Amino acid sequence: MSPNPPTRIVGTPQLRKEGVDKVLGRAKYVDDLEREGMWHGATVRSSIPRGRITAIHYGEQIDWGEFVIVSAADIPGKNHIQMISADQPCLVETQVNHCDEAILLIAHPDKRRLPGAVASIRIDYEPMTPVLSIEESETRQHIVWGEDNIFKQFHLEKGNVDAAWASAAHIVEGEYRTGAQEHLYIENNGVIAEYNDVSGITVWGSLQCPFYVHKSLMAVFDLPTEKVRVIQAETGGAFGGKEDYPSILASHAGLLAKKAGRPIKMVYDRMEDLAATTKRHPSRTRHRTAVDKDGKLLAMEIEIATDGGAYATLSSTVLSRATLHSTGPYVCPNIRITSRSWATNTVPSGAFRGFGAPQSIFAIERHMEQVARAVGLDSAEIRRRNFLHDGDTTATEQVMTEPVILDTLLGRALEISGYEAKRQRFAHDNPHSTIKRGMGIAAFFHGAGFTGSGERYLNSLAGIDVTCDDRVRVLVSSTEFGQGTNTILTQIAAEALRIAYDDVIMAPSDTSIVPNSGPTVASRTSMVVGRLIERSGHQLIAMLQESAGLAETYTTADFFASCERYRELQGKVESLCRYEAPPNIFWDDQKYRGEAYPTFAWAVYVAEVAVDMTTYSAEVTNFYTVQEVGRVLNPTLAAGQIEGGVAQGIGYALYEKVLLKNGHMFNNQMTNYIMPTAQDVPPIAVHFEEIPFQYGAYGAKGIGELPHDGPAPAILNAIQDATGESFAAIPLLPEDIFTRMAAIAFDEEPLTV
Amino acid sequence: MSATWSQIQLVINGHATNVEAPPMKRLLDVLREDLGLTGTKEGCGEGECGSCSVRMNGELVNSCLVPILQANGARIDTVEGLAIDAELHPLQKAFLECGGAQCGICTPGMLMAATHLLARNPHPSLDEIREGLAGNLCRCTGFVKIFDSVIAAAAMKGVARDAR
Amino acid sequence: MRGNPEAHELVAPPTLADVLVRLADAPGTWTPIAGGTELMVVHAAGRLSAHKLISLCGLSELSFIRVDQESISIGGGVTFGQIRRHPIIASDFPLLATAAGWIGSIANQNRATLAGNIVNGSPAADAPPALLVYDAEIELISRRGSRCIAYNDFHLGYKQSVLEPDELVFALHLPRRFANHMQYLRKVGTRKAMAITKVALAATAIIEGGLVTEIRLAAASVADRPLRLAATEAAILDRTMSPHTMAAARRTLLNEVRPIDDIRSTALYRRHVAANLLDECLSELSRGLTGDLSA
């Protein structure tokens, strides 16, 4: 492992750039903002999952003259939300394809009048048979999207899977399921929009990707680039839930603003946000695995199905990542993966931290436990014997040219968790206790950045400028929503320019001011955008040294003086860089072969659980994480990402369930969608190994999503260790554990009376 | 039918104020809309997330569940009252230094819950901190650095001034 | 927020007598609101059908805790925060103090009142099982006067009680005779804090000379109301705490409870776990332990 090059600011726990405003309560989120003459907007949504609208009745007790009403007929441009496909309408015309689909928008000066008005509108439908699960969609008895209900499919082959079964000592099969998951950012979705015929549309929003919204609005309003302006407000959590959804909300608010001729604020309440916005894709993964007598993987046949909901949104890219992570961090010479994303008449699924990897990694890491048991090896050893090492190839034949230190990570994780000693103690104590304890391991990787040619396609542009009052500004469309964008990027700029951290600020996240550095997703911000800032900094220094007399060594005062000289010559002081792909990244999108990701983050997590056999509740009592994410740019922020991701992963495994009735989420209140509280999260140990990645900012790889990949399988592996029972679906609730345990003991007493 | 509005006297962060509002208007909305104090947030409207937490007559409450008439004559402390002039309250300083705030939306409510806790229990154990903050949901941090922040603040001087 | 504050009238008469006059003059017209932790949630969901509300918050006549030799009286307006912190309640009625700490969060406990928790009538309410095993009496008051009944006789069905439209819960009276009883309380929720009960069991009991001379059992979320498990008690009373008794008690409980499937859990789970809690409780009784457990 090469040591980190010495840095003054990168790698240190600089304070959160916007932290003072946040602790003072001065940070302004969308609902804290007002515009003069502003009205409020609300949405009328479908109450059936599939059908055609035949009539709309407006409540007679409402004075509709006070309201502005918008329907699809009011859309000046295209009635679709531009994402990967353009299949999702901005507003329903006649065909409804999911519950809570937006049909009408209404606005009023007094927001308290809106709920009653919405409730008074009655819509008549001609219902059609909905498709409400992957299995129903697969039958194709009803086609609800495209020709065959399939948003996207992949097929990947490596080696010769069919020939491998014959020589297998063991063949292990398993099916694993993951449920939908809600982001549950504490700040609901919200937007303020203004429209005028001269300057076009301006929106302020709680959002991750200003330019995604910008592009969508251009299509809906038929406006050119310069007449659409998107500004990110302080955003109270996102996790992928504000990657694509804000394009819908911004369009809605914009339509009302245009028709009303005044600014419109639309902020969802929790019930609406839970019911109507995107969720993590539910999944079903089937494994069939051949191993030799020593537990070495000979072949993997994997079938993946995700539930994309009613429209395509991001299902194709989620499926891609699920596919590419489905074989785990293991060497296997023969692989076949078939994956499909299915349409159903439920609220469209969307991006959520991990983006398909949590689903796949749950499956493979649970499956490896069953493989271990079939072969007669323990959980650590089965993994050790199959780990990728330097020079090995992945499922896509990508050669591991960067160091892969899974053995080190595993060893460290076992050590810090006290794995061996605890398992011995638990094995001794469990038979005499109503509390069964166990330990579980998950080993995994997360491809950093966009898949394959994604980054080339984004062609990101980013950089820095220097203002007249001696401030360096970072110019990016990458947004802050708690994960530390502002802090990291200003640290990088300060480092590259050799000035103080406090001398660097962020330019406003405003599409009229900043270049498009790509969306704030895919764990790419530190690695890719940070690198652009690093290069821009070096580039600016070179520019100043060449044309404005900056010496080899300089003070901060020298730097700003040189900038002033440069400004006199050139008019402005700005340094931008465009994305350059690392060399030797070749990706074949047809064959799904080659360098799927420029690099990978690696991790081994260990969960310690206690299962109470009186109540059948499982609880995580301790959690240990060891990961390699390249260079740690800010230790406080990095640990914060791991801790937060683990907490969400614990929720995903044991607490968070989306309950649907006829395709509508009916547990759409925080009292009934259960996330862990301060009394439910265990102590979480965080350890980093650092191997700098040459092409990431100061050696950084991606970190944000990795920690959500590991907890669920580690926890269910621990539950298997504790109870002997293998559970293959999450969320795993006490009622599920009870059903299994009671089935085992059914002859003790009747369950019904 | 519409309600006649009520005259409500409040002492907000030490300053006497009065507002006229429908008696069933939520204290949360009076703070944010009538008084422009947007530091207190709405996350759920059901008393589950705690981001609307304020202290009413010294007691921690969810302001989304308090009808303003019931707050008549009350002393209300919000996040805006924690810092004194330019100086951060020790808890604010600790949240900043320990990484207790990520997206920041839960932070005002967390700070109010933490001041409430430390006013009654200046040196809480980790379990007592967990319980004291159990009514405040954070989706970003996993709570770990929030606990660290409260422990750090308890060790600083000046916390005792909030004990009332 | 889906409620419209302007669609609701809220009055706050200064004395209990004033409130009782209003309730008597127009029975069923005025809906009492105490801490608001239930009604304001309904209001936020846009489902508050009560348009005239009368505030009980801060009525000093309801906000008392009186201790004498024989009993403790807790006013209906006392909050769960106050209940938790009261030293005599903590020492003499630890199950009630513990239950008080399970209601919502600290912020909710500072507002939620004992009367509100009872009158809301949820079978999942946290305080009732403790009140039942402490043989509480409930005092109801109206302009016509007051009456005391056994709390066990208060609930009649799902969200139905003996409370008349002009009545309020004035106080709960708990006899101070449980200091030497074995006490047990366990709540099973969806998580450790801010959880609505899936099933809970409370118990007070005495073993003398190997026989169970007193046993009271009560459960939450196993019926349409908080339930005193009279049949299960009968299977234990005056018996030794033998495996045979415990098995018989378990079978009786499995038949006595009548839980449902709902948004939080299933009938099968509730029934079975309630029986497990009983096993746990009776094991402790037989070992002579005292103490309560958290979820």
Side-chain angles (χ1 to χ4, degrees), chain A residues 184-188 236 270 670, chain B residues 42-43 49 51 105 137 139:
Chain A
L184 215 68
Y185 26 69
I186 303 297
E187 184 213 10
N188 291 313
R270 184 60 61 179
M670 274 206 184
Chain B
E42 175 163 6
C49 75
S51 59
I105 196 83
L137 296 179
R139 195 52 160 164

Side-chain angles (χ1 to χ4, degrees), chain B residues 1-3 5-6 22-26 29 42 45-49 53 56 59-62 64-67 69-70 116 120 131-137, chain C residues 1 5-12 33-37 40-41 43-44 48 51-53 55-57 84-85 101 105-111 191 193-194:
Chain B
M1 69 116 63
S2 82
W5 289 25
S6 304
M24 276 292 276
K25 188 166 184 176
R26 303 178 304 176
D29 296 318
E42 175 163 6
E46 339 156 18
E48 285 288 317
C49 75
S53 306
M56 189 161 107
E59 296 287 343
L60 191 71
V61 299
N62 287 322
C64 73
L65 298 183
V66 178
L69 185 63
Q70 292 185 344
H116 186 261
R120 278 159 183 67
E131 204 224 337
L133 301 182
N136 293 73
L137 296 179
Chain C
M1 172 59 173
E6 302 222 53
H8 303 275
E9 198 180 334
L10 172 63
V11 299
I33 177 171
T37 55
M40 293 299 282
V41 177
H43 182 38
L48 184 61
H51 289 289
K52 286 167 119 71
L53 298 132
S55 176
L56 307 182
C57 194
R84 277 183 87 173
R85 291 194 291 269
S105 58
I106 287 175
N108 292 342
Q109 291 156 30
N110 286 333
R111 294 280 295 164
R191 56 188 174 189
M194 294 209 291

Side-chain angles (χ1 to χ4, degrees), chain A residues 15-16 19-20 22-25 27-29 31-32 111-112 182-184 186-188 235-237 239 270 481-482 636 639-641 643-644 647-648 656 669-671 675-679 681-683, chain B residues 25 29 32-33 38-39 41-44 46 48-49 51 79-80 83 88 92 95-99 101-108 111 127 130-131 133-134 137-145 147:
Chain A
L15 296 187
R16 179 171 284 277
V20 173
K22 283 177 172 173
V23 300
L24 287 173
K28 297 289 184 211
Y29 303 80
D31 200 30
D32 303 328
K111 68 180 176 184
R112 282 167 259 272
E182 158 58 31
H183 312 78
L184 215 68
I186 303 297
E187 184 213 10
N188 291 313
T235 295
F239 315 108
R270 184 60 61 179
F481 35 89
T636 305
Q641 284 303 288
E643 291 150 2
Q648 275 187 324
E656 297 177 39
Q669 285 178 283
M670 274 206 184
T671 192
M675 68 162 267
T677 68
Q679 288 187 298
V681 289
Chain B
K25 188 166 184 176
D29 296 318
R32 290 179 54 81
E33 296 168 13
T38 57
K41 308 298 181 192
E42 175 163 6
C44 73
E46 339 156 18
E48 285 288 317
C49 75
S51 59
V79 66
E80 287 92 346
L88 295 180
Q92 290 170 314
F95 267 67
L96 191 57
E97 287 169 5
C98 299
Q102 287 190 25
C103 82
I105 196 83
C106 79
T107 303
L111 288 169
D127 276 345
R130 284 172 179 273
E131 204 224 337
L133 301 182
L137 296 179
C138 173
R139 195 52 160 164
C140 294
T141 64
F143 301 99
V144 178
K145 288 181 175 6
F147 301 152

Side-chain angles (χ1 to χ4, degrees), chain A residues 170-176 285-292 294-302 325-335 359-389 406 410 419 423 439-445 603-605 710 712-714 716-718 720-721 726-728:
Chain A
H170 307 273
I171 298 176
V172 184
E173 297 190 351
E175 179 178 299
Y176 307 92
T285 306
R286 294 175 174 144
H287 275 270
R288 186 166 189 245
T289 310
V291 277
D292 70 16
D294 297 319
K296 301 265 305 168
L297 295 165
L298 294 175
M300 287 196 198
E301 190 165 35
I302 306 174
H325 287 70
S326 60
T327 54
Y330 305 112
V331 181
C332 185
N334 305 294
I335 296 174
Q359 292 93 321
S360 287
I361 289 168
F362 173 73
I364 181 61
E365 283 303 284
R366 286 293 297 124
H367 193 61
M368 287 301 273
E369 289 302 303
Q370 317 325 315
V371 171
R373 280 162 174 76
V375 178
L377 291 173
D378 71 44
S379 307
E381 189 59 25
I382 190 71
R383 288 172 169 85
R384 251 183 234 117
R385 292 195 186 182
N386 289 290
F387 274 157
L388 287 163
H389 293 93
L406 286 160
L410 175 62
Y419 182 86
R423 283 196 77 231
M439 309 286 286
I441 300 169
F444 55 102
F445 63 89
V604 176
Y605 285 4
L716 264 71
N717 287 347
Q720 185 168 1
D721 186 46
S726 175
F727 294 96

Side-chain angles (χ1 to χ4, degrees), chain A residues 133-140 150 174-180 280-288 301-308 318-319 322-323 326 337-342 344 356 358-364 652 728-730:
Chain A
S133 70
I134 291 172
E135 282 74 21
E136 279 176 36
S137 192
E138 283 172 327
T139 66
R140 292 177 213 173
I150 297 177
E175 179 178 299
Y176 307 92
R177 307 188 79 108
T178 65
R280 185 185 294 284
H281 288 67
S283 76
R284 182 198 68 212
T285 306
R286 294 175 174 144
H287 275 270
R288 186 166 189 245
E301 190 165 35
I302 306 174
E303 187 231 301
I304 302 169
T306 65
D307 181 344
V318 171
L319 188 69
T323 305
S326 60
I337 309 171
T338 315
S339 57
R340 294 193 181 96
S341 188
W342 293 91
T344 62
Q359 292 93 321
S360 287
I361 289 168
F362 173 73
I364 181 61
Y652 186 46
I730 51 172

Side-chain angles (χ1 to χ4, degrees), chain C residues 26-68:
Chain C
T29 303
W30 294 95
T31 301
I33 177 171
T37 55
E38 296 285 346
L39 290 175
M40 293 299 282
V41 177
V42 176
H43 182 38
R47 292 196 280 264
L48 184 61
S49 52
H51 289 289
K52 286 167 119 71
L53 298 132
I54 186 162
S55 176
L56 307 182
C57 194
L59 286 178
S60 58
E61 302 96 318
L62 295 178
S63 178
F64 66 91
I65 299 179
R66 201 171 51 234
V67 181
D68 64 41

Side-chain angles (χ1 to χ4, degrees), chain C residues 209-229:
Chain C
L211 292 181
V212 179
T213 54
E214 285 191 42
I215 177 97
R216 291 168 181 79
L217 297 165
S221 299
V222 298
D224 59 358
R225 69 196 85 174
L227 191 67
R228 181 85 186 259
L229 301 173

